[in-house]
Each structure stands twice: as structure tokens, then as C-alpha cells.
Amino acid sequence: MRNAFVKRAREKEEVNHRDSHPWYSVDSSSQETPSERERHDSFTIAKEEVAPEQQKLEVETSPVKRLEPEENKTKTEKTVKKLKSKSKDFIAELAFDNEKGELATRCDVVYKTLLRDFRRFFLDSYKASKAEDDHDSDLSSSLLRYTTSIFPEVSADAAKTLSLDLGCLLFPKEMRENKIIVGHLTSRNHFSEASENLDAEIMKIHSYLYKFSIDKIEECFKNSSLCQLFLFYTKAGKDRILENITMKKNHSVYLKARGILEGKAIKSLCG
């Protein structure tokens, strides 16, 4: 009986000892002495002091690497979106209702027919002018004389630019093969210094009409020479709609389309 009482007293003393010493662990395998506990606490405090500095460094440096490409990507996306929106606006301004619901009066068909007649007008006019010309000259000189005769008010340099663009519109193959003309195009940086493929640039103007699509009208009317030539066509060839069998059948539709393109040409030159 006495032994049992002594055992319970010792157990109670051990419990009190644990409560008064926080470093004391119930698990004997993980017990720490006061000196060991002190070293552990010192390490924990040092770690906690270093952590804020590491977090501060991460905040200061990591966002620069992470956000810079995102900002560039966003800027590029905005630029592309703006260009697409501008292109869509241009095409939307060209559209008009097909009141008859026929293929012949669909806006893209009307524009294609009109622009091909525009080329035919200058081809006939140039050939007629050349037939009356007593000069036995090459293509470059004859084109320059022709553009000077229809645009007497422009400077010599502007007339040269007009003649070269008109040549690309009328005679792309001959322009590519004519060494004199190729020399002029190259020396003048006619298609800008960024142009690497001269043949492709010459063919591009011709392709506006013969690889036609609505969006190519926008490219066509970015060329100031073609805008000037088209405005000349609308005045000098104002009766051609009534003279052409295809256009005469739907002359009101073609008059509307020609008016829209005339407005685009004026806007491009003024703008």
C-alpha cells in the first residue's frame, strides 16, 4: 500500500515538472535539453530575420523579369488590333447594298470591273498617244512624256514617279525586263529602301487588279500615283460607264462605286 502511494506521488511530481518546463517533451525520443532548445530558438530567430529581406529582394527583382515580356506582348497585340480595326473600317466604308441581289451588282464584282476599266482607259490612252509621238524612244521615256502631258502641273520628279507606277500597272513584264527602267527604280529607291524583291514590287501594282480582293483596294489607294491616276480617270473617262456594255446595264451601281473610290483617292492624297 505504501509503495503504491509513493509511486503515485512520483508520477504527480513528474507531471508538474513537465508543465513547468516547456522544453520538456512527452516523447522521450525527441526530448531536448535547455542548451539544445536555446540553440534551436536562436536558429529560428535568425531565419525569421532573414526571410523578410529575401521577400523584399524577390518583390524588387522578380516582377521586372516577369512583367516586361507581358507588357511587350500587350503592346504588340494592341497594335495588331488597331491595324485590323482600321482595315475593317476601310472595307466597311466600301460596302454597299446589293439591291438587285445579282452577282453582277455585288460590290466586289463592281469594284473589280471598275478598276480593270481604269487600267484599260490608260492603256488605250497611252497607245493612242504613242502612235502620235514622232519620237523613237524606249518605254521609260515614252511613259514619262505621256504622264507629263496629262499632268503638266506636276514637277519633273513627280512626273517620273507617276510614269514608273503607271508602267507597273500597264506593262509589268516589260518593266521587269527593261534594264533602263530597273536602273531608275533602283537608283530612286522607288519602292523604298526596305524593298528587297524588285520583281515582286513591280508585280504588286498589277496584282491589285488581277488578283483582286476588297482588301487590296486599301493597298491600291495607299499609292499616291494610283490615286492621282484614278482621279484623272473619273474626269477624263466620266462617260465610260455608259460606253461599257457590262457597266451600262447597272450604271447607277457603278456610278455609286466610282464615287466611293473617288472619295477614297481624295482622302488618301489629303491625308
Side-chain angles (χ1 to χ4, degrees):
M1 184 76 173
R2 177 181 173 82
N3 289 338
F5 177 78
V6 172
K7 184 177 180 181
R8 284 199 297 274
R10 286 179 178 176
E11 288 176 351
K12 184 177 181 180
E13 182 181 357
E14 185 177 356
V15 170
N16 292 335
H17 183 71
R18 288 179 195 153
D19 292 341
S20 62
H21 295 80
W23 48 266
Y24 191 93
S25 173
V26 177
D27 185 0
S28 59
S29 64
S30 60
Q31 289 182 359
E32 294 179 344
T33 66
S35 60
E36 289 174 338
R37 182 66 179 178
E38 184 178 354
R39 286 198 300 272
H40 178 76
D41 291 344
S42 299
F43 176 76
T44 303
I45 293 170
K47 185 178 179 182
E48 289 174 351
E49 288 176 351
V50 172
E53 293 299 322
Q54 290 179 333
Q55 291 174 0
K56 183 178 179 182
L57 182 62
E58 288 175 1
V59 169
E60 290 177 351
T61 58
S62 58
V64 175
K65 296 179 181 179
R66 184 170 60 253
L67 294 179
E68 186 175 350
E70 286 296 325
E71 290 174 357
N72 290 337
K73 183 180 178 182
T74 302
K75 187 176 180 181
T76 302
E77 288 175 349
K78 285 181 178 179
T79 302
V80 171
K81 188 176 180 180
K82 185 177 180 181
L83 290 173
K84 286 183 177 180
S85 176
K86 187 177 179 181
S87 181
K88 287 179 180 178
D89 290 342
F90 185 95
I91 293 172
E93 290 171 2
L94 292 174
F96 56 82
D97 292 334
N98 184 358
E99 295 177 0
K100 292 187 177 182
E102 299 174 0
L103 176 63
T105 54
R106 204 173 66 190
C107 66
D108 59 324
V109 175
V110 171
Y111 286 129
K112 180 172 67 174
T113 304
L114 195 58
L115 289 174
R116 288 186 179 181
D117 184 69
F118 157 64
R119 178 182 178 273
R120 172 55 62 181
F121 166 81
F122 279 105
L123 184 59
D124 292 343
S125 178
Y126 169 77
K127 286 182 177 180
S129 173
K130 196 170 186 300
E132 298 173 0
D133 191 354
D134 295 331
H135 297 83
D136 184 17
S137 56
D138 62 16
L139 180 61
S140 176
S141 299
S142 63
L143 282 168
L144 181 58
R145 273 197 302 275
Y146 174 70
T147 53
T148 302
S149 69
I150 62 176
F151 294 105
E153 74 282 0
V154 303
S155 66
D157 187 67
K160 186 67 176 178
T161 299
L162 281 162
S163 70
L164 291 171
D165 283 329
L166 180 62
C168 293
L169 180 67
L170 303 181
F171 311 111
K173 183 180 178 181
E174 291 83 348
M175 294 283 285
R176 292 163 61 190
E177 296 173 352
N178 190 304
K179 292 182 179 180
I180 296 175
I181 290 174
V182 169
H184 289 320
L185 292 170
T186 304
S187 63
R188 291 167 59 85
N189 287 323
H190 184 74
F191 298 113
S192 82
E193 295 179 2
S195 302
E196 298 179 357
N197 191 333
L198 192 62
D199 283 1
E201 293 292 342
I202 291 172
M203 293 304 299
K204 184 187 290 185
I205 291 178
H206 188 265
S207 73
Y208 294 152
L209 278 60
Y210 289 89
K211 291 183 179 179
F212 181 82
S213 62
I214 285 288
D215 59 325
K216 283 195 174 181
I217 296 178
E218 182 180 9
E219 295 181 45
C220 178
F221 281 84
K222 286 179 180 177
N223 184 307
S224 61
S225 294
L226 296 181
C227 289
Q228 289 176 266
L229 290 167
F230 188 82
L231 292 177
F232 183 88
Y233 160 76
T234 61
K235 294 177 180 177
K238 60 182 179 180
D239 297 326
R240 287 182 69 84
I241 289 176
L242 296 175
E243 295 169 357
N244 182 290
I245 297 174
T246 301
M247 293 193 290
K248 186 178 180 180
K249 290 178 181 178
N250 299 289
H251 68 279
S252 62
V253 176
Y254 279 91
L255 284 171
K256 180 194 293 185
R258 189 175 69 180
I260 292 173
L261 293 182
E262 185 177 7
K264 292 296 178 187
I266 293 171
K267 184 178 179 180
S268 179
L269 290 172
C270 294

